[in-house]
Amino acid sequence: MCGIIGVIGERNATPILLEGLKRLEYRGYDSAGVAVGFQGHVNTCRARGKLVYLEERLQQTPVLGYVGIGHTRWATHGPPTEENAHPHNSLNVFVVHNGIIENHQELRAQLMAQGVVFKSETDTEVIPFLIEQQLTLGADPILAVRLAIGQLKGAFALGILFRGEDDLLIAVRRGSPLILGLGEGENFIASDATPLVPYTRRMIYLHDDDVAVLRKNSVVLTDLSGREVKRTEKYSHVSADLTEKWPYRHFMLKEIFEQPSVVGETLKGILHSVNRTVALESLVTELALSQVQAVYIVACGTSWHAGMVARYWLESLAQIPVSVDIASEFRYREPPLLPNSLLIVISQSGETADTLAALRYAKLAGQKVLGIINVPESSIARESDAVMYTQAGPEIGVASTKAFTTQLIALACFSLALAKARSLLEPQIEVDYVGQLLSLPALMEQVLVLDEAILTLARSLQYAKGFLFFGRGSCFPIALEGALKLKEISYIHAEGYAAGEMKHGPIALIEKDLPVVVLAPRDFLFEKVMSNMEEARARGGRLVVLTPVLEENSIVDRDQIAMVACSSFVAPILYVLPLQLLAYHIAVLKGTDVDQPRNRSPK
């Protein structure tokens, strides 16, 4: 996902734009650019690669002005070249854009037939020419934007400048997030709050099809028809120094080690720590949980793995059928939804397009929706019937870590609440489960002590060409998550499987010294996992085993990550931590960009 920053005011815009883009680097990007207006002219500067190259160009040719827009691009339409970098422009209109214009090919063909010559391969470039077309027909800039936006299909967040308009910045949102920052004698736009908090904490979260007209001393919001709309001003509590990773080398490592703290914060908002019960009474009422007969869980990527773990909890504790879908499949499959069912959507950002589309599909079908998200004021937060916030704080590293474990916490607590609403959770059993959850921050601290041992292990595994990850029960999705983490940041091929499936295909991949990572908590499936390990060892695989069992003459005779003893209920939450660390250390040893992996759009 790209990043947008914009400012209009009385200070030179360029330093503000550059600082804002630096604070958006965590979103991942492959090119960057700015456009700055001054005395009726708009100057642009763009560069391929990291922001340092854009900075070098701006030092060589400084750009001065009091209104400007900046952008970091993650390539979608067209490769990461300077020509494809934003901003894009026509003669008088300059645009930065997050999202996808689905009908851009049709619009491009129409504009080319009218003599427009395009300079890039992007979908974005049609936007300034559509606006320019309306200007030519006599529309003023604000009307021209509204008329042009009416022709677009897809998702977008836009920042728009005009040549000759030094006190005008227009922002539009549909599908992709965009925030206004309100200052004194200056106003801002940004993809999220991160780049705004050094300048203001007064923010407005735009809704779909909002058009914001910013001048240095005013902000006016309308819909596409031009009718003025009101949006609530919010005060942001985001830390101004959240982009500081010191003393850690990478944000990912910092966020791995933040997990005990954020898990504790998430639990604090959900559990009664004194009487050890789940404090979700309002959720039970809002969602009529006692009447729910089936649960659908929809998510993408790592969040999908969290949903897969939740299925084990919900089916065992609440005795209710659960289906778990990848959002991009669910939304187009258009499945029939059972009466009295509940849809759970999981998203770190609360803006994941496919997940949001699934939510809207369920709402049209009359279903109740629970959103499990990390970002207040997001689209999913606004459109869900009820929300559980994960309290992970901003997650800067692209590969999700603390957002995942806090999602698991929320889902575990919800599973207990649903079981209780269905009269399937005895009071003493609830106290026991809540006690297990409350013990997690301390247990996680103990697991993170393994960091040095895992680094040593990583040094011996860094040259492997591939990995297999195996788990059973609720640790099967954790095997999938471990494989995902490794391949997305180290670029080593890795696959996760249910351990019982080994003999149904994956066993053919096992050869001498192939790392086989096995999750083996001491639960009722332990003996079966041991049998799977025997099969892997017999074929020469190099076993890397996560288990609390430390018996002499054990099958685990080489590489063992000695886990703390825990119940099967919390095992998935604890067992993912060593896998995050293993992926991190291997990636660092291989020299990859851990926080911004290649070809990767952030969650």
Side-chain angles (χ1 to χ4, degrees):
M1 185 181 292
C2 312
I4 286 176
I5 178 69
V7 59
I8 184 167
E10 299 175 342
R11 291 189 278 182
N12 184 12
T14 304
I16 296 172
L17 297 177
L18 281 174
E19 178 61 27
L21 293 178
K22 290 177 182 178
R23 288 175 173 269
L24 289 169
E25 280 192 286
Y26 72 91
R27 299 168 75 90
Y29 68 103
D30 44 45
S31 61
V34 298
V36 179
F38 182 62
Q39 295 184 346
H41 299 283
V42 177
N43 295 310
T44 63
C45 184
R46 303 181 297 177
R48 177 183 176 183
K50 297 299 183 183
L51 278 171
V52 62
Y53 300 112
L54 179 65
E55 280 190 286
E56 289 174 357
R57 291 197 175 184
L58 287 168
Q59 288 170 0
Q60 295 166 4
T61 310
V63 174
L64 172 69
Y66 305 113
V67 58
I69 49 177
H71 189 268
T72 51
R73 176 180 186 253
W74 183 76
T76 55
H77 296 78
T81 63
E82 184 177 330
E83 292 74 18
N84 289 331
H86 296 214
H88 290 288
N89 66 282
S90 58
L91 179 62
N92 296 295
V93 185
F94 298 75
V95 173
V96 290
H97 165 223
N98 289 355
I100 299 289
I101 306 302
E102 295 176 356
N103 61 334
H104 76 101
Q105 291 182 330
E106 173 190 339
L107 294 170
R108 179 180 283 252
Q110 292 173 7
L111 289 164
M112 290 176 66
Q114 297 167 20
V116 171
V117 177
F118 289 94
K119 301 174 186 176
S120 78
E121 301 169 68
T122 67
D123 56 335
T124 301
E125 198 178 359
V126 302
I127 302 171
F129 283 104
L130 289 174
I131 299 171
E132 185 83 40
Q133 187 179 66
Q134 296 300 325
L135 293 175
T136 303
L137 293 173
D140 64 69
I142 300 169
L143 177 59
V145 168
R146 296 206 312 264
L147 293 173
I149 296 307
Q151 302 177 59
L152 302 180
K153 296 179 182 177
F156 44 83
L158 305 175
I160 309 166
L161 295 186
F162 293 84
R163 191 186 309 275
E165 297 282 353
D166 291 347
D167 192 26
L168 178 64
L169 168 59
I170 297 179
V172 187
R173 175 234 161 96
R174 180 189 296 166
S176 296
L178 198 59
I179 302 173
L180 307 184
L182 309 178
E184 297 296 330
E186 59 186 357
N187 292 298
F188 308 84
I189 65 171
S191 303
D192 61 47
T194 310
L196 300 183
V197 289
Y199 309 103
T200 181
R201 292 187 177 276
R202 297 168 54 217
M203 300 184 189
I204 294 176
Y205 293 78
L206 295 184
H207 293 204
D208 279 354
D209 288 333
D210 281 353
V211 178
V213 178
L214 289 79
R215 304 185 190 275
K216 66 180 182 180
N217 290 313
S218 67
V219 172
V220 177
L221 298 179
T222 72
D223 60 19
L224 287 182
S225 72
R227 181 176 59 88
E228 190 167 343
V229 296
K230 299 294 184 182
R231 301 293 179 224
T232 304
E233 181 182 316
K234 303 287 186 179
Y235 183 87
S236 175
H237 295 279
V238 172
S239 171
D241 63 355
L242 62 86
T243 56
E244 177 59 63
K245 57 179 174 281
W246 187 88
Y248 297 95
R249 183 176 176 183
H250 296 95
F251 283 113
M252 182 179 178
L253 186 62
K254 173 177 177 279
E255 288 157 6
I256 289 172
F257 276 85
E258 284 176 345
Q259 288 176 107
S261 173
V262 296
V263 161
E265 286 300 311
T266 304
L267 288 169
K268 189 186 301 182
I270 300 175
L271 301 179
H272 292 300
S273 57
V274 176
N275 57 16
R276 300 208 165 193
T277 58
V278 179
L280 293 174
E281 292 83 3
S282 61
L283 203 70
V284 172
T285 303
E286 290 168 354
L287 298 175
L289 290 188
S290 62
Q291 306 302 314
V292 171
Q293 298 299 313
V295 173
Y296 301 90
I297 301 177
V298 178
C300 300
T302 287
S303 297
W304 177 59
H305 294 157
M308 292 180 70
V309 174
R311 176 169 57 190
Y312 289 91
W313 289 330
L314 286 164
E315 289 184 342
S316 63
L317 292 169
Q319 295 292 295
I320 197 167
V322 179
S323 69
V324 184
D325 268 280
I326 297 172
S328 57
E329 293 298 318
F330 180 91
R331 65 179 291 192
Y332 295 113
R333 197 173 81 244
E334 297 185 349
L337 301 177
L338 296 172
N340 297 318
S341 61
L342 172 70
L343 180 78
I344 300 176
V345 292
I346 312 170
S347 168
Q348 189 282 137
S349 67
E351 299 289 353
T352 311
D354 289 320
T355 307
L356 187 56
L359 179 155
R360 290 168 177 167
Y361 173 79
K363 294 283 284 185
L364 286 173
Q367 301 296 311
K368 291 282 190 178
V369 177
L370 169 65
I372 295 180
I373 57 175
N374 191 40
V375 181
E377 301 302 325
S378 61
S379 296
I380 290 178
R382 291 196 303 269
E383 298 186 33
S384 296
D385 295 292
V387 176
M388 293 181 71
Y389 293 111
T390 53
Q391 308 298 335
E395 191 172 55
I396 307 300
V398 167
S400 182
T401 52
K402 62 178 181 174
F404 177 66
T405 47
T406 52
Q407 286 170 354
L408 291 177
I409 291 296
L411 289 161
C413 293
F414 175 77
S415 300
L416 295 174
L418 183 57
K420 189 174 180 180
R422 290 168 59 82
S423 301
L424 294 171
L425 193 65
E426 296 293 332
Q428 188 53 47
I429 301 299
E430 180 183 5
V431 168
D432 179 57
Y433 278 123
V434 169
Q436 293 177 44
L437 291 172
L438 290 171
S439 71
L440 272 171
L443 292 175
M444 295 173 91
E445 293 282 6
Q446 294 179 51
V447 173
L448 291 173
V449 170
L450 299 171
D451 183 46
E452 283 297 324
I454 293 171
L455 171 58
T456 300
L457 177 61
R459 290 193 179 105
S460 68
L461 297 173
Q462 63 179 302
Y463 300 110
K465 300 300 183 184
F467 279 70
L468 291 178
F469 288 74
F470 289 114
R472 280 182 178 264
S474 60
C475 279
F476 160 47
I478 302 304
L480 296 177
E481 175 64 9
L484 175 62
K485 282 292 158 286
L486 182 65
K487 58 191 168 190
E488 77 174 323
I489 63 171
S490 74
Y491 319 145
I492 298 173
H493 184 77
E495 295 295 334
Y497 289 97
E501 283 292 290
M502 184 189 293
K503 61 173 65 72
H504 300 295
I507 200 167
L509 298 173
I510 298 176
E511 57 188 10
K512 188 175 185 302
D513 293 330
L514 173 77
V516 180
V517 181
V518 183
L519 282 67
R522 191 61 185 262
D523 58 18
F524 71 101
L525 291 169
F526 179 75
E527 296 301 329
K528 293 187 178 297
V529 175
M530 292 287 285
S531 297
N532 299 137
M533 286 192 284
E534 288 282 8
E535 293 177 297
R537 188 170 67 166
R539 287 156 179 81
R542 178 177 175 179
L543 291 174
V544 178
V545 185
L546 283 69
T547 183
V549 180
L550 291 167
E551 298 173 354
E552 290 189 12
N553 302 318
S554 165
I555 181 176
V556 186
D557 54 10
R558 183 173 181 183
D559 300 314
Q560 182 170 23
I561 298 174
M563 296 295 293
V564 298
C566 66
S567 70
S568 59
F569 180 55
V570 299
I573 304 169
L574 289 172
Y575 274 65
V576 74
L577 270 64
L579 302 186
Q580 294 170 349
L581 287 168
L582 182 64
Y584 169 79
H585 286 304
I586 289 175
V588 170
L589 290 166
K590 294 183 71 66
T592 67
D593 191 339
V594 173
D595 288 331
Q596 298 174 33
R598 70 186 184 194
N599 303 332
R600 173 71 165 83
S601 178
K603 65 272 178 190

